[in-house]
């Protein structure tokens, strides 16, 4: 069972560079999410998607973009990296958040440092 | 709007003694509530969830939590701590009825277990 797979696990970026965090899930989940976790904090929602072709902003979307061309994949793009984007990023998926609290499954995280 | 407050940022217990991690929530509707655990440099793992069935919820690794609507609390307990329980614990609330928004995380409680 692969579950939610995100790559890369670690990355160092220079200010102004761009990169894409990849996320794929093999559970046929409709909902996918990107969160960031800053030191000593809980997770904050960046973007989410309720199905292929549909994305929406979360709490902290500035500086990020997403796309959802397939059910399985939900990449997160950083266009112009800034030090404030140094964080741990988690991709997650669930069948449906409306279905009485379905479990959300998380990837193992991507540690991103912007210098 | 929903919110979660974890009342202790750090909890330290001795191995074999009880664990209590406190969580209060605010929600406009009947929420779903979760506890997730995060071991160092790992992703998040679901411990247990409450979805309006039994108010006492049993989870993995001997953890349980009780939903108390009158107190808006969802405290996590374990009768006897084990060294492997040392981790970060997140209380999470979800309001499926309020739209497509995902989870709201507490700021986390770091559990230390002393030998």
């Amino acid at each position: 069972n692969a579950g939610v797979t995100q790559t890369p696990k670690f990355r160092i970026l220079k200010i102004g560079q761009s990169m894409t965090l990849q996320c794929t899930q093999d559970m046929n989940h409709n909902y996918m999410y990107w969160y960031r976790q800053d030191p000593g904090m809980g997770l904050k929602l960046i973007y989410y998607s309720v199905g292929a072709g549909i994305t929406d902003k979360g709490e902290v979307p500035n500086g990020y973009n997403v796309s959802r061309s397939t059910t399985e994949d939900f990449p997160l793009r950083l266009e112009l990296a800034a030090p404030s984007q140094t964080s741990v990023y988690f991709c997650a998926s669930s069948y449906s958040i409306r279905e009485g609290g379905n479990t959300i499954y998380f990837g193992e995280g991507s540690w991103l440092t912007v210098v | 709007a929903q919110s979660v407050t974890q009342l202790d940022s750090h909890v330290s217990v001795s191995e074999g003694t009880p664990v209590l991690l406190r969580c209060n929530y605010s929600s406009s509707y009947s929420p779903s509530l979760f506890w997730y655990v995060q071991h160092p440099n790992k992703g998040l793992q679901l411990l247990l969830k409450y979805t309006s069935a039994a108010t006492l919820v049993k989870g993995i690794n001997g953890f349980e939590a009780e939903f108390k609507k009158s107190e808006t609390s969802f405290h996590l307990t374990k009768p006897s701590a084990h060294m492997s329980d040392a981790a970060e614990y997140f209380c999470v609330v979800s309001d499926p009825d309020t739209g497509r928004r995902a989870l709201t995380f507490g700021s986390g409680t770091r559990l230390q277990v002393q030998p």
Side-chain angles (χ1 to χ4, degrees):
Chain A
N1 279 344
V4 179
T5 303
Q6 46 180 123
T7 57
K9 195 167 180 73
F10 300 98
R11 182 74 186 268
I12 297 175
L13 274 182
K14 293 184 178 179
I15 294 172
Q17 284 186 321
S18 300
M19 76 159 296
T20 299
L21 297 175
Q22 301 291 345
C23 177
T24 187
Q25 53 91 9
D26 62 358
M27 297 173 281
N28 201 31
H29 284 166
N30 295 322
Y31 284 66
M32 294 189 74
Y33 317 86
W34 274 106
Y35 290 89
R36 60 177 286 172
Q37 183 183 27
D38 298 323
M41 306 289 286
L43 277 67
K44 293 190 176 180
L45 183 64
I46 304 172
Y47 271 94
Y48 66 98
S49 168
V50 302
I54 305 170
T55 63
D56 208 347
K57 296 178 180 178
E59 297 176 75
V60 290
N62 292 342
Y64 306 95
N65 278 301
V66 293
S67 60
R68 185 92 182 272
S69 57
T70 66
T71 299
E72 295 78 20
D73 300 308
F74 190 43
L76 177 73
R77 182 150 180 89
L78 286 70
E79 290 294 349
L80 292 170
S84 62
Q85 293 177 304
T86 295
S87 190
V88 184
Y89 292 83
F90 288 96
C91 181
S93 73
S94 68
Y95 180 68
S96 170
I97 199 66
R98 288 183 174 274
E99 297 292 327
N102 261 266
T103 301
I104 293 187
Y105 295 86
F106 287 86
E108 292 206 336
S110 296
W111 275 254
L112 177 64
T113 301
V114 182
V115 297
Chain B
Q2 60 193 30
S3 66
V4 176
T5 303
Q6 291 184 242
L7 299 168
D8 307 291
S9 58
H10 291 86
V11 171
S12 183
V13 301
S14 298
E15 191 174 21
T17 64
V19 175
L20 170 64
L21 305 183
R22 298 182 295 165
C23 172
N24 287 110
Y25 70 92
S26 172
S27 173
S28 301
Y29 299 90
S30 297
S32 295
L33 292 157
F34 307 79
W35 276 98
Y36 280 85
V37 60
Q38 184 182 28
H39 291 278
N41 298 323
K42 295 290 187 182
L44 285 83
Q45 180 185 20
L46 180 68
L47 276 179
L48 50 81
K49 64 180 180 181
Y50 165 78
T51 56
S52 74
T55 56
L56 182 63
V57 182
K58 294 188 183 298
I60 62 172
N61 300 333
F63 285 94
E64 61 182 38
E66 186 171 8
F67 173 71
K68 292 187 177 180
K69 188 173 183 177
S70 61
E71 299 176 10
T72 61
S73 69
F74 190 57
H75 302 333
L76 182 70
T77 60
K78 182 174 181 177
S80 176
H82 191 273
M83 295 297 290
S84 61
D85 295 328
E88 188 91 18
Y89 291 80
F90 292 97
C91 183
V92 184
V93 65
S94 167
D95 270 343
D97 291 334
T98 59
R100 302 181 294 184
R101 189 177 179 83
L103 308 177
T104 298
F105 282 74
S107 56
T109 299
R110 181 165 296 278
L111 176 65
Q112 291 182 312
V113 182
Q114 310 290 344

